[in-house]
Amino acid sequence: MSTATEISRLTDARNLIRDKLIDLGLATSTSKLDALADAIDGIANRGAISATVQEGDTYTIPAGYHNGSGTVSGVAGGGNYTLQSKSITPTKNQQSVTPDSGYYGLSDVTVAAIPEAYQNVSSVTAAAGDVLAGKVIVTATGASVTGTMVNNGAVSKVLSAATGNQSYTVPVGYHNGSGTVSIVLETKSVTPTTSSQDVVPTTGKVLSKVTVGAIPSNFADTTDDDAVAANILSGKKAHSYNSTTGEAVAITGTMTNNGAVSKTLDATTNNQTYTVPVGYHNGSGTVSIVLEQKTATPTKSSQNITPTNGKVLSKVTVNAIPAAYQDVSNVDAVAADVLENKVIVVADGTEVTGTMVDRGTVTHTLDATTNNQSFTIAAGKHSGSGSVNIVLETKSATPTTSSQTITPTSGKVLSQVTVNAIPAKFGDTTGDTAVAANLLAGAKAHTIVNGTATQITGTMANNGAISGSIDGLTTTSYTIAAGYTSGGTVSLTDDIENSLAAI
C-alpha cells in the first residue's frame, strides 16, 4: 500500500471525527487531528447521573458523556402532590400503567417476571407428525399443535422359514419398547447317503444348526485313485475315480498272474536280455547269470577279453601300462621349442630333435637416440646373465609463455624433469568471468575468453557523485544510472511531513 493511500485513509478518518465533534459544538471546520484528540479527551465520563428535586427547584445536568441509566425524580412532600407505587405482571397484550385517581403521578412501577406458564419456544422445531397422537405442543410461533404420531404400543411377530414369513416391516409410529420380533430355533442331524437330502425346519421354526454326520466308514474318497482294470489282479474288485464323470466306479481286475518265472542269461548273442512278461509276479522267479573274472596286460595292439561260453564277465583286471610307456598326449612341443641336439617324444610317439639356438649371455645399453630406443632379443635360449640397460639423468625447467622441449644428454634417458612453479606475476584466470562492461572505463585486466587468458579494457561509465530526491507521494523511487558511482545522496523531501501536518 502506498504512502499517498495511507494519508488519504487518515484524512477520511479525521473528517469523520471532525464532523461528529462539530455537531457536538466541540470543533471547527479547520480543526486538525491533534485538536480533535484534545476535544475528545476533554469530554468527561459522567456515567449514570441521578438526582432528586423538589417542586420549584432546578437541576443542571453537567456536560459530558451520560450512559443513559441516570434518573431525575421529584421528592414527595415537597408540594401538594402524592406519588403512587405500582406493580404489573406481563401479559400477551401491551399494558399502559397510569396512577389511580387521587395520585399526582407514579413514583415507580415494578414489572414482575414473565409467568412460569410462558416459556421461550423459539427453539421448538417439532411438527404434528413428530408428536404422539393426542399430545399438545406449542410451536415456535406460539400456535398449539396436537400430535398425529400413531401409538403402536407393543407389537410382536414370530418369523419362520415359511414363504411370506421371513421378514417383518415395523409399522411407522411410536413403540413402547415391549414389542419383539423373534424366531423359534431347532436343531437337526443327518447322515450322508449316496443321494442328496434336503434338511428343512419344522413348520413355524427356523434351523439354528444342522449336524451332518461323517460319511460312513465303508465309503472312501477316491479322488486321488487312478487305477484301471489292468492295474488290478485278475478277478479282484476295487473302486477307483472316473475323472470324466467325477464319480467313484467299481472295477474288476484283468492283470495276468504269472506266478514264479526264472531265466539264466549269458554273453551269447541271443541270450543277453530277458523280457519279463506283463502281469503279476509272486517274487519267487529269478533272472540270473554265471560270473567269471579275467586279467590282461596292455600292449601296443588292442585286445578283446571275452567270457567263457555260458558265462558273463564280472571283472576284467587290466594291469598297469609298463614303465617304459608314458602318457605323451599333452605334448605339443616341436623342434623349435627344444634346445638343439636334445630329443623328445611327441604326442604321436615320434622322436624329435631340438633346433633352438643357445645364445648364452647377451648385453646391450639403450639411450634416447632414434636408432637405440629399443633392442630386439634374438630368438633362442639365453643364460639369464645378460641385460638390457639405460643410463638415467634428471633435469629442471621454468615455465615460460612459450613451450619448451626438455631432452636428455646424448647416450642417456630422462628419469625426471622438474618443472618449476609458474612465476608469481602470472595469475590463474580459470574462474574469471569479467567483461569490459565490468571494468571502469580505461582500466585493464586479464580474464578468461573462450578458454584463453585475454587482456580486456574497461567500458564501465564513471558517473562520479550522484544527487537526487523523492517526495514519497507522487515520486517514490530514483533510478541510479548504470556505471560506477563514487557516492552521493538520494533524499526524501518534506512533502509527507507537510501532508501529515495538514491532517
Side-chain angles (χ1 to χ4, degrees):
M1 186 176 292
S2 68
T3 303
T5 300
E6 286 297 293
I7 291 176
S8 177
R9 185 177 63 83
L10 291 173
T11 301
D12 290 344
R14 178 207 62 190
N15 292 342
L16 182 64
I17 296 171
R18 183 162 62 189
D19 291 345
K20 180 59 67 175
L21 291 177
I22 289 174
D23 291 343
L24 297 176
L26 298 177
T28 67
S29 61
T30 59
S31 297
K32 295 184 179 179
L33 192 59
D34 51 354
L36 299 177
D38 290 340
I40 293 172
D41 186 53
I43 298 174
N45 187 352
R46 302 299 182 180
I49 293 181
S50 295
T52 56
V53 296
Q54 294 181 351
E55 186 176 2
D57 289 346
T58 300
Y59 173 71
T60 302
I61 299 174
Y65 169 74
H66 299 263
N67 65 15
S69 299
T71 60
V72 178
S73 59
V75 178
N80 57 352
Y81 58 86
T82 303
L83 301 179
Q84 182 184 23
S85 174
K86 279 195 170 185
S87 62
I88 189 78
T89 299
T91 67
K92 288 290 288 182
N93 297 316
Q94 181 176 321
Q95 304 174 69
S96 296
V97 182
T98 58
D100 296 336
S101 178
Y103 289 93
Y104 182 82
L106 296 170
S107 62
D108 61 85
V109 176
T110 301
V111 180
I114 297 173
E116 283 298 319
Y118 292 83
Q119 296 296 330
N120 184 356
V121 295
S122 60
S123 62
V124 173
T125 60
D130 304 321
V131 181
L132 201 60
K135 302 298 181 180
V136 178
I137 64 168
V138 176
T139 66
T141 63
S144 293
V145 174
T146 302
T148 60
M149 183 188 299
V150 177
N151 188 340
N152 295 303
V155 179
S156 296
K157 178 71 175 179
V158 176
L159 302 179
S160 69
T163 303
N165 198 37
Q166 297 172 7
S167 67
Y168 171 66
T169 301
V170 180
V172 66
Y174 169 75
H175 297 260
N176 65 10
S178 299
T180 59
V181 178
S182 60
I183 55 175
V184 179
L185 301 176
E186 72 172 334
T187 64
K188 288 193 173 184
S189 62
V190 66
T191 300
T193 67
T194 56
S195 300
S196 63
Q197 305 174 70
D198 291 328
V199 182
V200 296
T202 305
T203 301
K205 296 183 179 181
V206 176
L207 290 173
S208 64
K209 179 173 70 175
V210 175
T211 301
V212 180
I215 296 173
S217 59
N218 60 311
F219 286 81
D221 184 356
T222 64
T223 305
D224 294 331
D225 295 349
D226 58 4
V228 294
N231 304 142
I232 302 171
L233 199 60
S234 178
K236 303 299 181 180
K237 295 183 178 181
H239 271 77
S240 186
Y241 182 73
N242 186 320
S243 60
T244 302
T245 64
E247 299 176 346
V249 293
I251 300 174
T252 300
T254 60
M255 183 188 299
T256 303
N257 189 340
N258 294 305
V261 179
S262 296
K263 178 70 175 179
T264 300
L265 302 178
D266 60 33
T268 58
T269 302
N270 298 322
N271 201 35
Q272 296 175 8
T273 62
Y274 172 67
T275 301
V276 179
V278 66
Y280 170 74
H281 297 262
N282 65 10
S284 300
T286 60
V287 177
S288 60
I289 56 174
V290 179
L291 300 176
E292 72 171 332
Q293 298 181 3
K294 287 191 174 184
T295 61
T297 298
T299 68
K300 289 295 288 182
S301 300
S302 63
Q303 305 174 67
N304 290 324
I305 312 301
T306 58
T308 305
N309 190 36
K311 296 182 180 180
V312 175
L313 290 172
S314 65
K315 181 173 71 172
V316 174
T317 301
V318 180
N319 296 324
I321 296 173
Y325 293 85
Q326 296 296 325
D327 184 1
V328 294
S329 60
N330 62 345
V331 173
D332 59 1
V334 295
D337 302 324
V338 181
L339 198 61
E340 54 190 353
N341 301 320
K342 300 296 182 181
V343 178
I344 64 169
V345 176
V346 296
D348 63 358
T350 305
E351 291 184 354
V352 175
T353 300
T355 60
M356 182 188 298
V357 177
D358 189 345
R359 300 293 182 182
T361 300
V362 178
T363 300
H364 188 78
T365 300
L366 300 177
D367 59 33
T369 58
T370 303
N371 298 322
N372 198 34
Q373 296 175 12
S374 66
F375 172 69
T376 301
I377 300 173
K381 177 186 176 183
H382 294 260
S383 67
S385 300
S387 63
V388 179
N389 308 304
I390 55 174
V391 179
L392 301 176
E393 72 171 332
T394 64
K395 287 192 174 184
S396 64
T398 299
T400 67
T401 55
S402 300
S403 62
Q404 305 174 66
T405 301
I406 312 301
T407 58
T409 305
S410 179
K412 297 182 178 181
V413 177
L414 291 172
S415 64
Q416 175 182 304
V417 175
T418 301
V419 180
N420 297 323
I422 296 173
K425 67 178 180 179
F426 290 86
D428 184 359
T429 64
T430 303
D432 293 352
T433 60
V435 295
N438 303 142
L439 295 178
L440 200 60
K444 294 183 179 181
H446 273 80
T447 185
I448 196 77
V449 177
N450 297 325
T452 303
T454 305
Q455 187 181 64
I456 60 174
T457 300
T459 61
M460 181 189 298
N462 188 340
N463 297 316
I466 64 168
S467 178
S469 64
I470 57 176
D471 60 19
L473 295 173
T474 58
T475 304
T476 57
S477 65
Y478 176 81
T479 302
I480 299 174
Y484 169 76
T485 301
S486 64
T489 58
V490 178
S491 59
L492 180 67
T493 65
D494 58 0
D495 291 60
I496 294 178
E497 293 178 5
N498 293 335
S499 296
L500 291 173
I503 297 176

